[in-house]
């Protein structure tokens, strides 16, 4: 995707910005304009290209609101820099995150009329944050709300940026949203994430496979690894365990060979273990998890089930080992619940594993429920 800012060399586009700025401070635009010695009629004529006084009014309003009018050279340079920033985001070059964010922060301090564009790009840069927890829409809600006020000022290319966050803000993804043809692949990524969170796994899988083809074409391997995590999770949730197993096996080897970050490897490994559980590959689960020093509850659950399926002696060995470790109260409670389900056959306890405090995924819970939740 190439971002163009050529429309912002045309002074008429700034009238849409001033419409927004005036509306934020006054209920009646015409009265407000008269109060600052601008003819409402002339303003309208300039906005419709029927007067040559447009530049004069833009200068007057810029001075009034305290903003600088960008030169054509400035717009060219900003366009070039935004395209570089988008390149960094699209290819997930996380080492550029701080420099890109600092550039935008410094630019905002200069008070150019293009400030809504700069804030929109700043919002987008969060997609390149090395800390994945900051990619949640909720963390950027205030900035999105502010940017949303200037939607009428954005050209088509910038609206594609905006649409990413618009998708993330939706409570429900309807057929119209799904039917749209997005120019920006990151829109599809945001949409796939939204669908997964709504447990719409078939639709998520379809979109994720579509995005994957584009990422392969662009040789965008970091984004490819990320979208593969979606696909693995969908396969497991749809009980297509062999397909999940095959994909996770390949991705784990690929990530290991490239020595890439732990996040993608650990997530792929988790989906691999779920697939193993679904396929009954219990020894493989044990081989991966047996000698770890610490376990999250979801890994404890898979290891305990795998040991139980191999033999009671193996189960009690790991159960006793886990029990003597220094554990939080929630973890102790969790192990007790798992033991009641596996050993004491208390099927009524299975639904307790779905409580949010245990952080057990949809796909893992479904496997456990099929194994132990029926008479």
């Amino acid at each position: 995707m190439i971002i163009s800012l050529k429309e912002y060399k045309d002074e008429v586009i700034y009238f849409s910005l001033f419409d927004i700025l005036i509306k934020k401070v006054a209920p009646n635009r015409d009265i407000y304009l008269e109060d600052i010695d601008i003819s409402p009629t002339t303003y309208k004529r300039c906005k419709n290209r029927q007067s040559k006084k447009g530049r004069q009014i833009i200068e007057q309003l810029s001075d009034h609101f305290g903003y600088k009018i960008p030169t054509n050279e400035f717009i060219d340079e900003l366009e070039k820099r935004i395209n570089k920033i988008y390149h960094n985001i699209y290819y997930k070059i996380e080492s550029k995150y701080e420099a890109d964010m600092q550039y935008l922060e410094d630019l905002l301090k200069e008070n150019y009329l293009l400030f809504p564009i700069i804030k929109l790009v700043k919002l987008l840069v969060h997609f390149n944050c090395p800390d994945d927890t900051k990619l949640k829409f909720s963390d950027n809600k205030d900035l999105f709300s502010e940017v949303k006020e200037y939607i009428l000022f954005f050209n088509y290319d910038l609206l594609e940026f905006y649409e990413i966050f618009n998708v993330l803000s939706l409570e429900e993804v309807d057929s119209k949203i799904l039917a749209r043809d997005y120019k920006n692949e990151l829109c599809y990524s945001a949409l796939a994430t939204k669908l997964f969170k709504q447990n719409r796994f078939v639709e998520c899988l379809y979109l994720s496979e579509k995005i994957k083809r584009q990422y392969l074409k662009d040789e965008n391997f970091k984004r490819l690894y990320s979208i593969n995590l979606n696909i693995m999770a969908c396969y497991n949730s749809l009980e297509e365990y062999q397909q999940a197993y095959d994909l996770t096996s390949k991705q784990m080897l690929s990530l290991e060979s490239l020595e890439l970050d732990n996040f993608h490897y650990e997530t792929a490994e988790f989906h691999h273990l779920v697939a193993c559980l679904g396929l009954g590959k219990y020894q493989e689960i044990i081989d991966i998890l047996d000698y770890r020093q610490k376990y999250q509850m979801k890994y404890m659950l898979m290891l305990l089930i795998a040991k139980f399926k191999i033999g009671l002696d193996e189960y009690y060995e790991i159960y006793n080992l886990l029990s003597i470790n220094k554990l939080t109260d929630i973890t102790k409670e969790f192990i007790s619940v798992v033991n009641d389900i596996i050993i004491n056959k208390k099927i009524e306890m299975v639904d307790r594993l779905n409580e949010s405090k245990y952080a057990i995924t949809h796909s893992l819970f479904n496997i456990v429920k099929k194994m132990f939740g029926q008479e």
Side-chain angles (χ1 to χ4, degrees):
M1 178 180 177
I2 303 297
I3 300 98
S4 172
L5 299 181
K6 65 180 181 181
E7 292 96 329
Y8 297 94
K9 293 180 179 180
D10 184 348
E11 62 191 25
V12 172
I13 198 169
Y14 295 100
F15 285 97
S16 61
L17 175 60
F18 287 122
D19 281 348
I20 298 165
L21 291 173
I22 292 169
K23 190 175 182 179
K24 285 164 68 77
V25 296
N28 188 298
R29 185 186 67 189
D30 289 355
I31 293 174
Y32 186 84
L33 289 170
E34 287 174 349
D35 287 344
I36 58 175
D37 298 322
I38 294 176
S39 165
T41 302
T42 304
Y43 181 93
K44 290 173 188 174
R45 284 173 58 81
C46 291
K47 187 178 176 181
N48 295 322
R49 301 183 187 276
Q50 296 172 346
S51 173
K52 295 181 179 180
K53 291 186 177 181
R55 180 71 184 186
Q56 178 185 332
I57 290 178
I58 287 170
E59 288 175 354
Q60 191 172 343
L61 284 168
S62 297
D63 288 341
H64 176 76
F65 282 103
Y67 291 109
K68 297 177 187 175
I69 300 172
T71 63
N72 287 348
E73 291 75 20
F74 177 86
I75 293 170
D76 287 339
E77 182 57 35
L78 181 62
E79 178 183 284
K80 195 183 300 182
R81 191 63 185 261
I82 287 176
N83 276 287
K84 284 183 179 178
I85 289 173
Y86 178 71
H87 177 275
N88 294 339
I89 295 164
Y90 183 64
Y91 283 92
K92 221 166 170 43
I93 307 174
E94 296 174 346
S95 60
K96 303 288 187 181
Y97 169 78
E98 289 187 9
D100 288 341
M101 190 62 81
Q102 190 60 56
Y103 167 77
L104 296 168
E105 293 281 6
D106 292 343
L107 210 55
L108 283 171
K109 292 173 185 176
E110 296 187 37
N111 287 333
Y112 279 101
L113 280 175
L114 297 176
F115 72 93
I117 296 173
I118 299 166
K119 288 189 176 183
L120 174 63
V121 178
K122 180 183 173 186
L123 188 62
L124 191 69
V125 169
H126 284 288
F127 265 80
N128 212 28
C129 180
D131 181 358
D132 284 310
T133 61
K134 292 183 181 178
L135 299 183
K136 297 175 187 174
F137 170 73
S138 56
D139 293 325
N140 299 301
K141 220 168 189 176
D142 291 342
L143 183 56
F144 174 72
S145 296
E146 186 180 354
V147 167
K148 191 175 182 179
E149 295 175 348
Y150 300 99
I151 186 171
L152 295 176
F153 182 58
F154 298 141
N155 67 10
Y156 178 78
D157 290 342
L158 295 171
L159 283 174
E160 286 289 329
F161 281 178
Y162 169 82
E163 197 58 39
I164 297 169
F165 293 92
N166 191 43
V167 166
L168 290 173
S169 72
L170 297 172
E171 292 296 325
E172 188 71 26
V173 178
D174 61 26
S175 57
K176 287 183 180 179
I177 296 293
L178 280 175
R180 275 197 58 182
D181 184 20
Y182 297 102
K183 184 179 175 183
N184 189 326
E185 287 76 19
L186 295 181
C187 284
Y188 287 112
S189 290
L191 191 53
T193 298
K194 197 74 177 178
L195 289 168
F196 184 81
K197 288 179 179 178
Q198 294 176 357
N199 294 339
R200 294 165 66 177
F201 304 118
V202 173
E203 293 161 300
C204 177
L205 185 59
Y206 169 77
L207 273 185
S208 297
E209 290 285 5
K210 180 177 181 177
I211 306 161
K212 181 175 178 175
R213 289 193 293 272
Q214 187 60 48
Y215 288 157
L216 278 168
K217 183 180 176 182
D218 293 340
E219 298 191 37
N220 190 346
F221 296 116
K222 275 197 173 181
R223 292 281 173 200
L224 174 64
Y225 289 135
S226 292
I227 207 66
N228 270 347
L229 298 180
N230 260 7
I231 295 171
M232 297 166 194
C234 286
Y235 280 148
N236 277 332
S237 296
L238 293 168
E239 300 180 23
E240 297 287 349
Y241 301 121
Q242 189 60 54
Q243 292 192 67
Y245 181 87
D246 293 343
L247 180 58
T248 54
S249 298
K250 291 174 187 174
Q251 179 138 323
M252 287 163 64
L253 287 170
S254 179
L255 288 166
E256 192 172 4
S257 70
L258 294 171
E259 298 182 354
L260 290 177
D261 61 281
N262 288 334
F263 170 78
H264 286 92
Y265 184 88
E266 289 172 3
T267 309
E269 184 186 65
F270 169 73
H271 293 311
H272 183 76
L273 290 164
V274 172
C276 285
L277 194 63
L279 293 169
K281 294 178 179 288
Y282 305 119
Q283 189 58 53
E284 188 167 345
I285 294 172
I286 293 168
D287 291 343
I288 292 172
L289 293 179
D290 217 5
Y291 299 104
R292 295 197 177 171
Q293 297 298 314
K294 294 182 180 180
Y295 298 99
Q296 294 176 342
M297 286 182 280
K298 58 188 178 184
Y299 294 112
M300 287 182 180
L301 175 60
M302 288 189 281
L303 183 58
L304 284 166
I305 292 173
K307 290 281 190 177
F308 172 75
K309 292 291 184 178
I310 296 296
L312 277 178
D313 289 343
E314 287 81 357
Y315 172 83
Y316 281 116
E317 181 184 359
I318 190 64
Y319 175 77
N320 292 330
L321 183 63
L322 291 173
S323 299
I324 63 173
N325 285 340
K326 293 181 179 178
L327 304 172
T328 64
D329 289 341
I330 289 179
T331 306
K332 289 177 185 176
E333 175 189 282
F334 176 76
I335 291 176
S336 176
V337 169
V338 173
N339 189 63
D340 276 341
I341 293 168
I342 294 176
I343 299 300
N344 299 325
K345 311 299 182 186
K346 292 185 178 181
I347 62 173
E348 70 275 9
M349 300 289 280
V350 172
D351 285 337
R352 286 195 60 187
L353 293 178
N354 210 23
E355 294 176 14
S356 59
K357 62 183 176 180
Y358 297 140
I360 301 302
T361 64
H362 176 274
S363 55
L364 178 53
F365 174 73
N366 280 349
I367 293 174
V368 177
K369 192 164 187 176
K370 282 196 169 186
M371 281 183 172
F372 302 103
Q374 302 171 23
E375 292 285 359

